[in-house]
Amino acid sequence: KVLILEQRFSLLLSSEMGFYHYRWVMILVVLELCFFYSSQSQHDLTCHPRDLAALGDFINELEPKPHGWALNSSADCCQWVGITCKSSSSLGLNDPNNTARVTKLELANRRLNGALSESLGRLDQIRVLNLSKNFILGSIPPSVFKLVHLEILDLSSNNLIGLIPQSLKLPSFTSVNLSSNQLSGSLPAHVCQNSTKLRLIRLESNTFSGGFPSGFEKCALLEQLFLGGNKLAGNIPEDLFQLQRLNLLRIQENSLFGSLSPALGNLSHLVHLDISSNSFSGEIPDVFNKFLEFKILLAHDNMFTGGIPKSLANSQSLILLSLRYNSLSGPLRLNCDVMTNLTSLDLGSNQFNSSLPENLPSCRNLRNVNLARNRFHGHVPESFKDFHSLFYISLTNCRLVDISLTLHILNHCKNLTTLILSSNFPGEMLPDHPSLHFVKLKVLIVSNCGLSGPMPSWLSKSTNLQVLDLSWNLLNGAIPNWMDGFTSLFYLDLSRNSFIGVIPKSLTMLQSLSSRNISFDETSLVFPFLFRRNEFARLLQYNQSSEFIPTIDLSYNNLYGPIWEEFGNLKKLHEFDLNANRLSGEIPSSLSEMTSLEVLDLSNNNISGSIPGFLQKLTSLYAFSVANNSLSGRIPAGGPFKTISRLDFEGNHFCDGDYFPPCELDTPQEPEQAEQSRTSDSDLVLDFSYGLALGYGLALVIAAFLTCSAFELPAK
């Protein structure tokens, strides 16, 4: 290969290019020769015996062994998966044999289980150690913190425990990630004492406790600091605000308190600040004009007071602002003509007391708005007709009036996919105007308003609906039969109304609950959806959740008639609640085909017959109630019924030796038992028939044999 390169070089020099391109030719040839010799030398390298022994001790503590790791004295560890080596000479080491030294050990996401060996400290030339996303137990060996050449340490997402040693010797450190473990003790700010090159520190999701220590200012090059999800208390030390290169600071979900220092403005390169879920108080400092490219502020779930700082309300670079669950007050003023990059605004659960700001549509990229649970008043501004960028809006409990006007205004928001208007419009009537047509609507929640009237027919045109919640109102009439047109609907809550009539069979044909894969496209990563109810609260409440549970809730109405056999088709349904109606007939055995069912509530109806034994097949079922009906017979004892409380069966006529009167001998058999009995009788008849046929055939064979023998005797 060297001869070929030399010939190529000679030809190039003698060509028409001549000496003019000599310099570029020389560079190309030298680079190719360097690559050739480098690849040859890498192939010829053998693992240093010391590194081989250290790796052997390391892997002997873990299971399973990585594929290809041959633990013998002649093995070449440089060929093992997850190992990178360099020659001693390239590392500036005086090694006559120029053996290879391990510089990288990378076994992330290998399902390794066990403890870390102290032998890792013998890999004295290692630069990168990545064992993240495994199941490693125990503490981190102290020797790991004395690897003077180590640059990147990633042990995140394991089950490591213990303290970080006080004595650290990591002068080459640039990145450390120990997140998502169970490390404890005080926060190791002393890592910056001799690791002044650190650019990334990730210690979130552990159990570090005590005060927020000083010392991070010595990491002068630090760019990202993750400390969220610990048990830190106190305030932020002032020296933290000396980190001129810091662009990301996440200290959420701790117990930090006190006011936020104006020295925050010294972090001129800050882009992302997350101080949410703490106990900070006082006013938010007006320092956001000092940041060069500030984009994200997450300060929800604190105790801030006052208004939104002027510098924040005029931030041109701001993309995401979340201040929900504070005590901010006064009129809401945002300079939307300037805030052209704002996409998500979450100010829910504060004390803003003006009317809804008319200029929000001027924030031309604003997609997601949460203003719920404030002290606004009046109605939705007419200017919202031009809110064409709007995808998600929640105005729950904003003291709004005139639902008809509100819907007609928001009907112009052609990109609207999520509309939440709960706890407003007291005593009004839900409009049924044919001009309403929410084409792209996927989520509609208008609960706890006391609205009257029938289910509006314009809803039938919102065929993209995935979630529909009209609970806790006074809606009446029959549930319409066009619900099967909602091919994507998988969460339906019409509970706590005054609907009458038979359950429409169209509900048994919801495609997303029978055959389609349920996938909920959240319109906002900022506002995780809210759906679970507090069973002891008067009002419907929602908690943060990443997705809705597939549900049909028709409880507390005046529905009558049977529970349709066809409900068994809804194999994707998780919660089915028909409590407190006037339903009659028997429990269909087809409900056993609802294989995803977790909650089934049929209590407080007029259901008769027995509980089908087939329901024992519902292995996911954990909540079941048929209390206060007219059921009788035995209660199934298998499957989920082993753990269900007897209170969920009271108010019926069951017979059972443990909690209810003993069953009589002539108690009718359950369908499953009767079927088994019929099967047994059939089997007995079949067995007798087979035996009779077999005996008859055997008799014929014997008769034929005797006849043949009679004819053969005279001949003999």
Side-chain angles (χ1 to χ4, degrees), residues 395-448:
L395 299 173
T396 294
N397 199 6
C398 284
R399 305 182 181 184
L400 299 178
V401 296
D402 202 339
I403 188 173
S404 180
L405 178 62
T406 297
L407 292 175
H408 277 86
I409 290 174
L410 295 177
N411 191 47
H412 290 78
C413 303
K414 298 304 181 183
N415 289 310
L416 189 62
T417 60
T418 299
L419 176 58
I420 306 176
L421 297 172
S422 299
S423 302
N424 290 294
F425 321 111
E428 297 187 24
M429 179 174 289
L430 188 59
D432 191 9
H433 200 280
S435 65
L436 294 175
H437 188 189
F438 291 87
V439 181
K440 296 185 177 181
L441 202 61
K442 294 182 179 180
V443 177
L444 177 61
I445 301 175
V446 192
S447 60
N448 194 46

Side-chain angles (χ1 to χ4, degrees), residues 42 47 55 58 69 76-85 101-107 123 126:
Q42 175 71 23
C47 182
L55 291 173
F58 156 74
W69 280 47
D76 183 8
C77 69
C78 295
Q79 304 303 317
W80 294 351
V81 63
I83 299 296
T84 302
C85 295
R101 303 305 306 271
V102 173
T103 58
K104 294 182 181 181
L105 171 55
E106 300 171 293
L107 293 174
L123 298 174
I126 195 167

Side-chain angles (χ1 to χ4, degrees), residues 295-567:
K295 294 181 179 179
I296 297 174
L297 174 60
L298 302 173
H300 53 267
D301 293 272
N302 280 286
M303 296 186 291
F304 288 117
T305 57
I308 297 177
K310 187 176 180 180
S311 59
L312 191 59
N314 287 272
S315 175
Q316 185 175 4
S317 58
L318 191 65
I319 294 175
L320 191 160
L321 176 59
S322 178
L323 297 172
R324 71 175 180 269
Y325 289 110
N326 280 283
S327 297
L328 301 174
S329 59
L332 177 58
R333 294 191 179 97
L334 298 174
N335 189 353
C336 281
D337 292 332
V338 173
M339 304 179 77
T340 54
N341 290 301
L342 186 66
T343 60
S344 294
L345 176 66
D346 189 354
L347 303 177
S349 299
N350 280 284
Q351 299 175 24
F352 293 110
N353 55 16
S354 61
S355 57
L356 291 174
E358 297 184 359
N359 67 336
L360 283 184
S362 299
C363 293
R364 60 173 181 260
N365 286 308
L366 187 56
R367 296 163 52 95
N368 308 306
V369 177
N370 178 19
L371 300 177
R373 292 173 296 279
N374 276 283
R375 298 179 179 178
F376 297 115
H377 52 81
H379 52 76
V380 173
E382 286 279 344
S383 60
F384 277 35
K385 289 181 178 180
D386 299 322
F387 212 155
H388 301 307
S389 62
L390 188 64
F391 275 70
Y392 173 113
I393 186 166
S394 175
L395 299 173
T396 294
N397 199 6
C398 284
R399 305 182 181 184
L400 299 178
V401 296
D402 202 339
I403 188 173
S404 180
L405 178 62
T406 297
L407 292 175
H408 277 86
I409 290 174
L410 295 177
N411 191 47
H412 290 78
C413 303
K414 298 304 181 183
N415 289 310
L416 189 62
T417 60
T418 299
L419 176 58
I420 306 176
L421 297 172
S422 299
S423 302
N424 290 294
F425 321 111
E428 297 187 24
M429 179 174 289
L430 188 59
D432 191 9
H433 200 280
S435 65
L436 294 175
H437 188 189
F438 291 87
V439 181
K440 296 185 177 181
L441 202 61
K442 294 182 179 180
V443 177
L444 177 61
I445 301 175
V446 192
S447 60
N448 194 46
C449 293
L451 297 172
S452 59
M455 181 90 81
S457 58
W458 56 263
L459 263 180
S460 63
K461 296 180 285 186
S462 300
T463 54
N464 291 310
L465 271 176
Q466 298 179 13
V467 174
L468 176 60
D469 185 352
L470 300 177
S471 62
W472 290 92
N473 283 293
L474 300 172
L475 301 177
N476 51 43
I479 298 175
N481 205 34
W482 36 254
M483 305 289 279
D484 55 336
F486 298 145
T487 56
S488 300
L489 185 72
F490 66 86
Y491 185 94
L492 175 65
D493 191 349
L494 301 179
S495 64
R496 307 276 179 171
N497 278 286
S498 300
F499 289 115
I500 61 172
V502 178
I503 299 175
K505 273 198 173 182
S506 60
L507 291 183
T508 70
M509 296 181 281
L510 294 174
Q511 294 183 27
S512 59
L513 292 175
S514 57
S515 57
R516 296 179 58 182
N517 290 327
I518 297 173
S519 61
F520 181 54
D521 302 325
E522 289 194 34
T523 57
S524 170
L525 297 178
V526 185
F527 315 135
F529 272 106
L530 315 170
F531 76 100
R532 285 211 180 267
R533 286 186 295 275
N534 180 346
E535 297 295 341
F536 302 101
R538 160 65 177 82
L539 303 181
L540 184 65
Q541 297 184 353
Y542 291 93
N543 297 322
Q544 296 180 19
S545 175
S546 59
E547 59 182 23
F548 281 87
I549 291 178
T551 296
I552 292 179
D553 189 348
L554 304 178
S555 62
Y556 292 94
N557 281 284
N558 291 306
L559 303 172
Y560 53 81
I563 302 171
W564 301 114
E565 288 273 353
E566 290 83 355
F567 274 118

Side-chain angles (χ1 to χ4, degrees), residues 10-252:
S10 299
L11 288 171
L12 285 170
L13 284 180
S14 60
S15 67
E16 293 181 358
M17 288 190 299
F19 194 76
Y20 178 76
H21 296 293
Y22 171 75
R23 288 178 302 172
W24 297 111
V25 173
M26 280 295 296
I27 292 172
L28 291 172
V29 173
V30 168
L31 287 174
E32 193 165 352
L33 284 170
C34 289
F35 174 79
F36 170 72
Y37 284 120
S38 174
S39 61
Q40 285 294 106
S41 60
Q42 175 71 23
H43 181 74
D44 295 338
L45 291 175
T46 57
C47 182
H48 193 285
R50 178 176 178 177
D51 291 350
L52 179 62
L55 291 173
D57 293 342
F58 156 74
I59 205 60
N60 280 333
E61 300 291 330
L62 301 171
E63 291 290 343
K65 303 293 186 286
H67 179 71
W69 280 47
L71 300 177
N72 55 67
S73 57
S74 61
D76 183 8
C77 69
C78 295
Q79 304 303 317
W80 294 351
V81 63
I83 299 296
T84 302
C85 295
K86 284 189 176 182
S87 65
S88 297
S89 59
S90 67
L91 297 172
L93 302 177
N94 186 15
D95 183 356
N97 298 321
N98 195 27
T99 54
R101 303 305 306 271
V102 173
T103 58
K104 294 182 181 181
L105 171 55
E106 300 171 293
L107 293 174
N109 203 18
R110 297 273 177 172
R111 305 187 67 82
L112 298 176
N113 199 340
L116 294 179
S117 171
E118 190 74 31
S119 66
L120 285 173
R122 300 204 302 270
L123 298 174
D124 56 3
Q125 296 301 315
I126 195 167
R127 268 66 173 170
V128 177
L129 177 57
N130 184 356
L131 302 174
S132 61
K133 299 179 182 177
N134 284 293
F135 302 96
I136 300 173
L137 307 167
S139 59
I140 304 173
S143 61
V144 170
F145 296 104
K146 296 181 180 179
L147 293 168
V148 295
H149 296 291
L150 188 63
E151 299 173 4
I152 298 175
L153 175 63
D154 191 347
L155 302 177
S156 61
S157 301
N158 280 287
N159 296 312
L160 297 169
I161 61 173
L163 311 176
I164 304 297
Q166 287 295 320
S167 178
L168 304 176
K169 192 176 181 181
L170 299 163
S172 302
F173 235 9
T174 61
S175 172
V176 56
N177 188 351
L178 302 177
S179 63
S180 301
N181 281 286
Q182 301 175 42
L183 300 171
S184 57
S186 59
L187 196 65
H190 58 279
V191 71
C192 292
Q193 289 180 359
N194 64 4
S195 302
T196 56
K197 298 179 181 179
L198 270 171
R199 297 178 183 274
L200 170 67
I201 297 178
R202 298 198 64 166
L203 301 174
E204 75 270 23
S205 301
N206 280 284
T207 58
F208 293 115
S209 58
F212 196 136
S214 301
F216 284 108
E217 84 283 357
K218 295 180 181 178
C219 288
L221 302 180
L222 193 62
E223 296 176 356
Q224 297 186 350
L225 179 60
F226 295 79
L227 302 177
N230 283 287
K231 298 179 180 179
L232 304 176
N235 208 333
I236 305 173
E238 288 288 320
D239 61 359
L240 188 70
F241 302 124
Q242 299 176 20
L243 297 172
Q244 295 294 319
R245 298 195 178 190
L246 195 68
N247 60 60
L248 184 148
L249 176 61
R250 299 197 63 184
I251 53 176
Q252 78 283 2

